[in-house]
Amino acid sequence: MKSGEINYELEKNMEVISQLDSLVSDAVENMLVDPEECWQPSDFLPDLSNPEALEDIKLLKQRAEGIPDTVLTSLIGNMITEEALPSYQTYFNLLEGINEDRSLVSPSGWVRWSKSWTAEENRHGDLLNKYLYLTGRVDMGAVERTIHRLIANGFDANTDADPYQAMIYTSFQERATKISHVNTGKLADKAGDHVLSRICKTIAGDEARHEKAYKTFMGRIFEIDPSGAMVAFEKMMRKQIVMPAVLMGEGGNRPNLYKDFSEITQKVGIYTGWDYARIIEHLVEFWKIEAVTGLNDLAAKAQDYLSNLADRYMRLADRIKAPDEVKLAWLK
C-alpha cells in the first residue's frame, strides 16, 4: 500500500475491535485472576527462609536427575519463549485499534487486557527459570544469553497490525503453548518428577484460560463481521503461524537454535506437526467455519480453503520424519 492510501479493510476491523471493548473488560474481570488470589512461582519452589531449604533443594535435584536431556532441553526452550514477554506486550499494543490512546494506563478494556494477560504470563517464565536453575543441570549463562538475544531481536507475528489476524494468532498460539506444557508435564511425570509435572499442568491451565478468552473475542468478531473474520483466518493460515521464539538464535553463534529446539519437540512428542494440524481442526470446529453464512465471494473461497486445511496438514504431518539425532542446547 502506498503512503497516504486508506486501508478500508483495516479501518473496518478497527471499528469492530472497538465494539468489543466491554466484552474484553468483562474478560479481565472474570477470566483473569486477581494477583492476591493467583498462584505465584514461590508456591512451587523451596522456601529459602526455611531451615529445611537445603534438603528441599536436594530433593528437587534428585527428582530432576531422571528427566531425559531431550525433555529438559524442550522445557528450557519453552521457558525462554515465556521470558520474551516485553516483545509480546509491545506487539499487542501496536495493533491497530487496540491502544488508540497510546497509553499503558488507558482504562480501555483492550489495554487492561494486554497488561493483565502479560502479568499472568510473566509468572510462567519466572517459575520455570528458577526451577531449572535449582536443578543444577542447566547452563544458565547460555540460557540467559538466549533470552537476552530473543528480546533484543524482537518479535513479528506477521499479522500486518490487523487485530483480526492477531486474534487468530493468539487463539492458535495459546492452544499450542498449552499443548506443549501439558505434554511436557506428562513426560516429567513419567520421569518421576511429580513437582515439575504439577508446574507444567498449572501453567497449561493458565494458557487454557487465555486460549478461551482469545477464541471468545474472535468468535464475537465472526458474529459481527463474518466475511472479514473468514478472510483474516485464511490470511493467517496461508502465512502459517510463526512461533514466538523463532528469533532466539539470530545474531548468535548458533543461528539454527530454534530449528534444533523444534526438532526435539517433534522427536519427543511435546509439540508436533500433528498438533499443528489438530489446532487448525479445533479452531475450524470451534468457530463453526463450515456453517457460517452470509459471506461475500472472497470469504466463501476462504471458507472452502479453511474447511479442508486440517486434513492437508495432517497428511503433511504423516510424512514428517522425526530426526534420528537431535542437537541439545543449554545443558551442562
Side-chain angles (χ1 to χ4, degrees):
M1 177 174 292
K2 296 179 181 178
S3 177
E5 289 186 358
I6 298 175
N7 185 332
Y8 291 104
E9 180 74 10
L10 192 55
E11 291 282 331
K12 180 259 296 174
N13 294 359
M14 290 167 58
E15 172 59 29
V16 171
I17 280 292
S18 70
Q19 296 177 37
L20 269 61
D21 204 74
S22 60
L23 172 67
V24 178
S25 291
D26 184 70
V28 173
E29 300 298 331
N30 297 299
M31 299 184 81
L32 300 180
V33 185
D34 186 278
E36 295 300 321
E37 301 172 6
C38 220
W39 68 264
Q40 297 297 338
S42 57
D43 297 337
F44 297 86
L45 299 168
D47 180 358
L48 298 186
S49 67
N50 187 331
E52 303 297 323
L54 292 179
E55 184 62 27
D56 292 339
I57 294 173
K58 182 180 178 181
L59 291 172
L60 184 154
K61 294 178 70 170
Q62 288 175 348
R63 290 192 304 268
E65 287 175 359
I67 302 173
D69 287 346
T70 49
V71 176
L72 193 64
T73 301
S74 178
L75 180 65
I76 296 167
N78 286 345
M79 179 269 286
I80 290 168
T81 304
E82 298 276 8
E83 291 279 48
L85 280 170
S87 294
Y88 311 150
Q89 190 180 72
T90 300
Y91 154 76
F92 198 90
N93 279 278
L94 288 174
L95 295 170
E96 295 293 346
I98 293 294
N99 191 347
E100 295 186 39
D101 297 334
R102 295 296 185 261
S103 168
L104 288 179
V105 294
S106 167
S108 83
W110 282 113
V111 176
R112 291 174 60 218
W113 171 267
S114 76
K115 294 184 296 183
S116 298
W117 164 57
T118 50
E120 284 200 357
E121 291 279 352
N122 184 65
R123 299 166 305 142
H124 303 168
D126 281 353
L127 174 52
L128 293 175
N129 194 315
K130 293 183 177 76
Y131 194 87
L132 288 164
Y133 171 74
L134 290 173
T135 68
R137 294 182 57 188
V138 178
D139 181 347
M140 291 306 297
V143 168
E144 289 154 0
R145 286 188 290 275
T146 305
I147 295 169
H148 190 151
R149 188 174 296 111
L150 179 57
I151 296 174
N153 285 338
F155 167 65
D156 181 10
N158 201 21
T159 56
D160 301 322
D162 178 5
Y164 282 19
Q165 292 183 59
M167 294 306 116
I168 297 289
Y169 179 87
T170 46
S171 296
F172 191 106
Q173 189 57 50
E174 292 287 358
R175 189 169 183 86
T177 309
K178 178 187 72 175
I179 289 168
S180 184
H181 284 300
V182 165
N183 289 335
T184 303
K186 290 177 180 177
L187 292 172
D189 217 11
K190 185 177 179 181
D193 194 334
H194 61 278
V195 176
L196 178 57
S197 176
R198 185 160 59 93
I199 287 172
C200 292
K201 291 171 184 175
T202 301
I203 292 173
D206 279 358
E207 307 293 12
R209 284 189 293 108
H210 301 161
E211 175 200 347
K212 180 180 178 182
Y214 284 116
K215 290 189 305 188
T216 299
F217 301 158
M218 194 63 210
R220 183 69 181 120
I221 293 171
F222 268 104
E223 293 174 4
I224 299 171
D225 180 17
S227 289
M230 193 71 70
V231 169
F233 193 5
E234 181 204 22
K235 285 179 180 178
M236 206 65 244
M237 292 300 98
R238 284 191 183 277
K239 287 184 282 192
Q240 299 186 333
I241 298 296
V242 179
M243 295 303 169
V246 69
L247 298 179
M248 65 164 62
E250 187 169 298
N253 59 9
R254 191 169 170 177
N256 292 327
L257 191 55
Y258 178 76
K259 177 177 177 290
D260 296 340
F261 161 59
S262 299
E263 287 181 347
I264 290 173
T265 64
Q266 174 78 25
K267 185 173 182 63
V268 300
I270 285 175
Y271 185 74
T272 69
W274 290 290
D275 291 315
Y276 191 99
R278 283 191 285 263
I279 293 172
I280 296 173
E281 182 179 53
H282 170 80
L283 294 177
V284 167
E285 290 177 357
F286 185 86
W287 291 318
K288 299 180 172 59
I289 293 302
E290 295 182 39
V292 176
T293 58
L295 299 174
N296 60 33
D297 290 344
L298 188 62
K301 292 179 181 177
Q303 183 181 44
D304 290 340
Y305 171 80
L306 292 165
S307 297
N308 299 302
L309 190 60
D311 288 341
R312 183 183 306 174
Y313 271 99
M314 200 65 75
R315 290 193 296 271
L316 286 173
D318 288 338
R319 294 200 294 269
I320 294 175
K321 184 180 182 297
D324 295 327
E325 296 183 7
V326 292
K327 298 177 182 178
L328 300 174
W330 308 301
L331 301 183
K332 287 187 175 180

